[in-house]
């Protein structure tokens, strides 16, 4: 890992070099990986179309870099530790050699089911070791993985399978999360009623429940593994071939499939992991995210394995069997780098210090957070009680679209300040823009966060709809990638992320478009005339979901109707998108042109009705009074 930054001065020098000669900088980093054929051209780009190509002409396979490359020196080193939901169940460990073999065999099963380079494979699975193996098996043969978080509903899964016409689905019989038992295969069966592209389903046995298997379509993974050998050479991939699709919500329409490609993503995942977490050879690293989100892709699977690090995955939840579980697991496996979300920290903080004070946590060296702004109180609790004031806290800002961490501390090599993500990684060129799209040069200012130069991990398109990629990220401001976030830069040039400036809500680090939830509510059109959804500050989840709903008739039994609306959302999107509050209203504050004034709705949801601004231009100013009075 000789591209690891070693001090703040080193950071500054590398940052400067990366701006002076970005191509030279990235070519140097890319040179640390194994390429079957070296690239001809480091970078070709423009943000209009947009078109970004890194390492063109290069041939490689990311799994060769994650696995084969380490076999000689790290073959017997642990690659993966799996900690089950139930602490009494045995954990599982694979060395690099074992993981390599498992990936090759799984890849051969996929081939036997007719999966070829470029085919899409959907993964709808709990956090079991087979999920990591499956992701890598797809990459091994050049199939494009599309991991769908297993908390999404059958409807949401079907939409994603259909959007990219997946040929195969990989799933499990069921799953355990805390005290819950989840019928995973049942959800897949339901989804597949409306998915014609799927030819085969591979089922991992986790719970040994009896599940419905469709003859000729559904196969138990363990049966199929018996029929294949462990020899599967890595498919040579062009640097710009697709590696994966990951669906994410935006401010409009249905979730879109963010596309990452092989070469650039590999370089960025490996580079950012090594620098932010600063792992040493013997370290055990744990990221508590689910592989269904980008954090799990880049910082459970690819980033750590590219660096030959021991990575841990956890099946359970932070509060089971007690709110001390994370810390018990850290002690049990000697975790050195720990990476989690502010929402989890706040939940554990609320459960009281005793749970963390009972554990030593002696091995911890770096603590990370991701997914949403972290408030000062949670940051300090994490730093003091978990890190014992010894460990730097890296507040890592990034997005599904950026592929990897963009603004963050680098282990203990950069200054840190509670609630500040900090400085951009070398190679990353953030700017703050004003309303008109002019760059704000001064410090101590707020603006829209954008990027003015590509980095290898930037998304390349949104699956099947390049126009949408352009409109969402590159059309707001000419020649910039627009993040959708607002940020502040302090006097020292450190960045503090304020939050989304678009209609995206971030609930416990999970992104939802308000439109997506409104569509689900409005689908009950026999009951609902219209709805508007906004986020509001929530003590644990960061943001909660507040829905204003106009019903066709005044509801006789509002609680029953609330329950029905929630059920509809759970069915169409999933449990994670359940509104916290539903207020029935007779109208919504709209401008004369019919646009909903969300600013007013947000204020009411926040419980701050003192200053709603000028409401005289509204179509029906009286409705604001009614909404204020009925606020929950
Ligand atoms: C937010 C997760 C503040 C932000 C990796 C971004 C953050 C969105 C941070 C992306 C952070 C992520 N501080 N806000 N450290 N990290 N965000 O695509 O609003 O699930 O745009 O990627 O989460 O969410 P996504």
């Amino acid at each position: 890992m000789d591209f690891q930054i070693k001090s703040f001065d080193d950071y500054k020098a590398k940052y400067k070099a990366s701006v002076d000669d970005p191509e030279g900088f990235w070519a140097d980093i890319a040179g640390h990986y194994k390429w079957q054929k070296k690239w001809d051209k480091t970078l070709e780009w423009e943000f209009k179309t947009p078109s970004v190509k890194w390492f063109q002409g290069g041939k490689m396979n990311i799994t060769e870099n994650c696995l084969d490359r380490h076999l000689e020196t790290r073959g017997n080193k642990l690659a993966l530790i799996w900690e089950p939901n139930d602490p009494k169940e045995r954990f599982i460990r694979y060395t690099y050699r074992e993981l390599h073999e498992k990936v090759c065999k799984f890849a051969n099963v996929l081939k036997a089911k007719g999966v070829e380079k470029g085919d899409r494979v959907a993964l709808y699975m709990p956090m079991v070791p087979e999920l990591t193996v499956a992701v890598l098996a797809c990459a091994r043969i050049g199939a494009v993985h599309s991991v769908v978080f297993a908390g999404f509903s059958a409807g949401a899964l079907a939409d994603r399978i259909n959007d990219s016409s997946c040929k195969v689905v990989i799933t499990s019989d069921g799953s355990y999360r805390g005290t819950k038992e989840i019928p995973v295969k049942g959800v897949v069966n339901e989804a597949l009623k409306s998915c014609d592209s799927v030819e085969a389903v591979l089922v991992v046995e986790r719970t040994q429940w009896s599940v419905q298997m469709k003859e000729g379509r559904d196969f138990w993974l363990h049966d199929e593994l018996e029929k294949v050998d462990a020899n599967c050479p890595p498919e040579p991939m062009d640097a710009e071939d697709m590696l994966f699709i990951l669906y994410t919500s935006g401010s409009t329409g249905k979730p879109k499939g963010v596309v990452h490609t092989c070469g650039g993503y590999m370089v960025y995942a490996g580079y950012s992991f090594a620098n932010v977490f600063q792992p040493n050879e013997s370290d055990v690293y744990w990221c508590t995210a689910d592989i269904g989100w980008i954090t799990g892709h880049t910082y459970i699977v690819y980033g750590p394995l590219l660096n030959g690090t021991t990575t841990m995955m956890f099946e359970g939840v932070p509060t089971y069997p007690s709110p001390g579980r994370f810390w018990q697991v850290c002690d049990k496996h000697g975790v050195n780098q720990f990476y989690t979300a502010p929402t989890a920290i706040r939940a554990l903080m609320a459960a009281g210090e005793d749970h963390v004070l009972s554990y030593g946590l002696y091995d911890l060296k770096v603590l990370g957070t991701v997914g949403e702004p972290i408030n000062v109180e949670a940051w300090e609790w994490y730093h003091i009680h978990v890190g014992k004031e010894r460990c730097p806290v890296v507040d890592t800002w990034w997005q599904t679209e950026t592929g990897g961490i963009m603004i963050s501390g680098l282990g203990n090599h950069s200054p840190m300040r509670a609630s500040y993500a900090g400085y951009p990684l070398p190679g990353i060129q953030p700017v703050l823009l004003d309303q008109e799209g002019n760059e704000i040069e001064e410090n101590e200012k707020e603006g829209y966060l954008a990027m003015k130069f590509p980095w290898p991990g930037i998304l390349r398109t949104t699956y099947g709809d390049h126009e949408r990629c352009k409109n969402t990220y590159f059309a707001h401001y000419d020649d910039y990638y627009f993040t959708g976030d607002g940020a502040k830069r302090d006097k020292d040039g450190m960045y503090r992320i304020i939050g989304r400036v678009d209609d995206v809500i971030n609930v416990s680090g999970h992104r939802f478009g308000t439109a997506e939830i409104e569509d689900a509510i409005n689908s009950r059109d026999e009951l609902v005339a219209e709805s508007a959804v906004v986020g509001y500050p929530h003590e644990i989840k960061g943001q909660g979901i507040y829905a204003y709903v106009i019903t066709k008739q005044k509801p006789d039994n509002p609680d029953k109707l609330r329950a029905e609306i929630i059920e509809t959302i759970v069915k169409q999107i999933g449990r994670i998108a359940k509104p916290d509050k539903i207020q029935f209203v007779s109208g919504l504050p709209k401008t004369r042109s019919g646009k909903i004034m969300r600013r007013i709705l947000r204020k009411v949801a926040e419980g701050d009705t003192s200053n709603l601004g000028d409401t005289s231009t509204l179509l029906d100013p009286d409705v604001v009074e009614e909404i204020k009075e009925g606020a929950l």
Side-chain angles (χ1 to χ4, degrees):
M1 285 171 275
D2 25 9
F3 47 68
Q4 249 175 359
I5 286 158
K6 292 291 173 226
S7 67
F8 193 48
D9 283 340
D10 188 19
Y11 162 78
K12 285 189 268 190
K14 291 220 166 77
Y15 191 83
K16 183 169 184 310
S18 78
V19 176
D20 291 346
D21 175 17
E23 292 184 32
F25 175 82
W26 288 115
D28 185 41
I29 289 167
H32 289 87
Y33 293 91
K34 183 167 182 347
W35 295 82
Q36 294 159 356
K37 174 181 167 289
K38 201 185 158 186
W39 60 94
D40 307 313
K41 189 163 189 195
T42 305
L43 172 65
E44 191 180 298
W45 73 287
E46 46 86 5
F47 276 174
K48 293 224 171 343
T49 318
S51 164
V52 179
K53 292 175 181 158
W54 283 95
F55 313 115
Q56 274 181 92
K59 292 261 183 203
M60 41 71 68
N61 186 293
I62 196 167
T63 70
E64 194 173 14
N65 281 279
C66 287
L67 302 169
D68 308 56
R69 186 165 59 111
H70 304 307
L71 291 183
E72 208 171 298
T73 52
R74 299 184 174 115
N76 297 323
K77 173 176 171 172
L78 288 182
L80 184 71
I81 303 177
W82 174 78
E83 171 69 21
N85 180 57
D86 181 350
K88 292 198 273 316
E89 195 180 334
R90 280 176 69 110
F91 60 89
I92 291 175
R93 302 191 289 189
Y94 299 150
T95 62
Y96 270 91
R97 196 175 315 287
E98 287 165 336
L99 184 60
H100 176 264
E101 182 180 320
K102 286 185 185 292
V103 168
C104 289
K105 288 185 82 173
F106 202 135
N108 281 336
V109 170
L110 291 173
K111 277 190 189 165
K113 293 293 162 216
V115 179
E116 291 172 7
K117 178 175 170 176
D119 286 343
R120 276 80 54 214
V121 176
L123 281 63
Y124 185 81
M125 293 171 81
M127 284 287 284
V128 289
E130 290 84 354
L131 173 52
T132 297
V133 176
V135 162
L136 294 166
C138 290
R140 186 85 178 167
I141 62 171
V144 176
H145 54 77
S146 167
V147 185
V148 180
F149 175 62
F152 280 117
S153 67
L157 172 61
D159 284 348
R160 287 158 174 77
I161 291 174
N162 289 331
D163 185 72
S164 49
S165 326
C166 295
K167 193 171 187 180
V168 165
V169 175
I170 307 172
T171 188
S172 73
D173 44 3
S175 88
Y176 304 113
R177 268 176 75 74
T179 54
K180 293 202 193 95
E181 297 191 335
I182 300 153
V184 182
K185 179 63 163 63
V187 178
V188 171
N189 289 346
E190 181 63 33
L192 292 193
K193 287 182 188 160
S194 54
C195 302
D196 295 338
S197 60
V198 175
E199 293 170 13
V201 178
L202 291 166
V203 187
V204 173
E205 189 172 53
R206 168 65 185 115
T207 57
Q208 298 182 317
W209 299 336
S210 104
V211 294
Q212 217 179 56
M213 300 283 283
K214 186 169 170 184
E215 181 80 36
R217 183 194 71 184
D218 301 353
F219 305 91
W220 289 105
L221 178 70
H222 53 263
D223 292 338
E224 301 308 304
L225 282 170
E226 280 180 16
K227 304 176 192 161
V228 295
D229 66 25
N231 178 30
C232 179
E235 181 74 26
M237 303 296 284
D238 283 328
E240 283 296 339
D241 278 340
M242 223 181 274
L243 174 63
F244 67 84
I245 305 172
L246 185 56
Y247 285 86
T248 190
S249 297
S251 43
T252 55
K254 283 198 185 271
K256 52 196 171 301
V258 166
V259 170
H260 285 287
T261 54
C262 296
Y265 175 83
M266 170 180 79
V267 169
Y268 201 67
Y271 160 81
S272 55
F273 177 79
N275 281 299
V276 171
F277 296 102
Q278 297 280 329
N280 289 332
E281 190 60 51
S282 57
D283 285 350
V284 173
Y285 158 89
W286 180 20
C287 165
T288 70
D290 192 291
I291 294 178
W293 309 109
I294 191 69
T295 305
H297 282 61
T298 310
Y299 299 111
I300 295 178
V301 182
Y302 290 116
L305 296 177
L306 283 165
N307 285 281
T309 302
T310 302
T311 184
M312 187 157 84
M313 61 190 288
F314 175 45
E315 183 181 37
V317 297
T319 48
Y320 178 81
S322 84
R325 184 69 192 280
F326 274 179
W327 323 126
Q328 176 255 333
V329 173
C330 281
D331 277 4
K332 176 174 172 185
H333 297 284
V335 169
N336 302 106
Q337 290 86 12
F338 178 74
Y339 190 27
T340 196
T343 187
I345 299 169
R346 288 190 295 260
L348 298 179
M349 184 167 90
E353 261 120 73
D354 287 353
H355 293 287
V356 60
L357 296 180
S358 334
Y359 298 95
L361 302 174
Y362 301 112
D363 298 304
L364 286 177
K365 293 197 278 198
V366 178
L367 300 176
T369 92
V370 61
E372 45 170 326
I374 183 165
N375 47 313
V376 173
E377 199 190 356
W379 191 99
E380 285 178 345
W381 188 87
Y382 197 32
H383 185 232
I384 295 169
H385 296 298
V386 182
K388 317 292 179 198
E389 298 183 68
R390 275 189 292 110
C391 306
V393 174
V394 292
D395 177 356
T396 66
W397 176 85
W398 60 296
Q399 309 180 294
T400 304
E401 296 84 349
T402 70
I405 296 167
M406 304 280 282
I407 302 181
S408 167
L410 307 174
N412 57 7
H413 300 316
S414 36
M416 60 178 179
R417 186 166 306 160
S419 85
Y420 279 76
Y423 294 104
L425 267 66
I428 302 306
Q429 299 190 29
V431 292
L432 295 180
L433 301 178
D434 65 15
Q435 295 273 5
E436 282 77 49
N438 302 312
E439 279 185 33
I440 301 171
E441 309 272 343
E442 313 94 280
N443 286 345
E444 297 275 30
K445 288 274 184 230
E446 272 179 39
Y448 299 123
L449 184 64
M451 300 293 151
K452 68 177 197 185
F453 198 87
W455 62 101
I458 189 173
L459 87 161
R460 301 301 195 266
T461 188
T462 46
Y463 192 85
D465 192 350
H466 194 62
E467 201 55 23
R468 190 157 177 210
C469 171
K470 173 180 168 166
N471 291 334
T472 312
Y473 308 105
F474 299 91
H476 291 259
Y477 303 105
D478 283 347
D479 297 320
Y480 295 96
Y481 164 80
F482 177 53
T483 65
D485 279 330
K488 179 188 166 182
R489 199 164 47 218
D490 78 355
K491 60 176 180 5
D492 304 316
M494 288 175 85
Y495 285 86
R496 175 168 192 259
I497 309 302
I498 297 164
R500 303 290 306 194
V501 294
D502 53 7
D503 290 323
V504 169
I505 356 190
N506 190 331
V507 184
S508 300
H510 304 154
R511 277 164 66 170
F512 297 102
T514 53
E516 198 183 340
I517 302 174
E518 288 160 6
D519 285 350
I521 299 175
N522 299 347
S523 73
R524 296 300 300 266
D525 54 6
E526 75 290 9
L527 302 168
V528 173
E530 199 182 356
S531 63
V533 167
V534 297
Y536 71 98
H538 186 287
E539 218 166 290
I540 304 287
K541 300 196 272 191
Q543 281 191 298
I545 301 176
Y546 197 121
Y548 297 89
V549 178
I550 309 178
T551 50
K552 290 207 164 144
Q553 268 149 20
K554 197 168 165 39
D556 306 329
N557 184 343
D559 283 341
K560 182 163 166 278
L561 186 56
R562 278 194 189 95
E564 280 183 44
I565 289 175
I566 288 176
E567 197 190 301
T568 307
I569 294 170
V570 168
K571 205 160 166 236
Q572 293 195 17
I573 306 174
R575 218 151 265 299
I576 46 178
K578 269 196 329 208
D580 299 272
K581 296 181 180 180
I582 299 177
Q583 180 181 351
F584 295 112
V585 293
S586 68
L588 292 166
K590 286 189 182 169
T591 59
R592 282 174 216 279
S593 60
K595 192 168 156 8
I596 299 174
M597 297 277 282
R598 284 172 190 277
R599 183 178 52 79
I600 294 177
L601 296 176
R602 277 191 215 109
K603 284 266 185 194
V604 174
E606 271 168 33
D608 171 14
T609 51
S610 56
N611 179 19
L612 293 181
D614 182 11
T615 54
S616 63
T617 56
L618 294 180
L619 207 52
D620 175 9
D622 292 344
V623 84
V624 177
E625 287 310 309
E626 180 211 316
I627 290 177
K628 267 161 64 174
E629 269 160 36
L632 300 167

